[in-house]
Amino acid sequence: MHTEQVTGLLDNLEPRARVAVEQRFGLVDGQRRSFREVGESLGVTAEAARRIVKRAVDELKLDAESIAAA
């Protein structure tokens, strides 16, 4: 998948979810962060950060599948 497509998919996320995904997977600065670190930056627990990332990734997968099917 191309960078523009990934950026487009991320644009569909809520801002908080986008930040969580970008931090967790190091999409902005190349540094992957733990759920604890993501949670600290968002002001939530590590478990809450994990849930935010999981929901966002699930949403990204569905969006990517719908683009691929089109």
Side-chain angles (χ1 to χ4, degrees), residues 22-61:
E22 288 173 340
Q23 288 183 358
R24 178 67 179 146
F25 299 107
L27 300 179
V28 174
D29 60 5
Q31 180 167 351
R32 297 178 61 139
R33 290 172 179 77
S34 68
F35 289 120
R36 181 186 55 78
E37 292 170 315
V38 173
E40 286 175 0
S41 74
L42 297 175
V44 298
T45 65
E47 178 59 22
R50 184 196 66 76
R51 288 192 306 262
I52 291 168
V53 171
K54 182 183 183 326
R55 280 193 302 268
V57 169
D58 289 346
E59 185 178 330
L60 290 170
K61 285 179 185 178

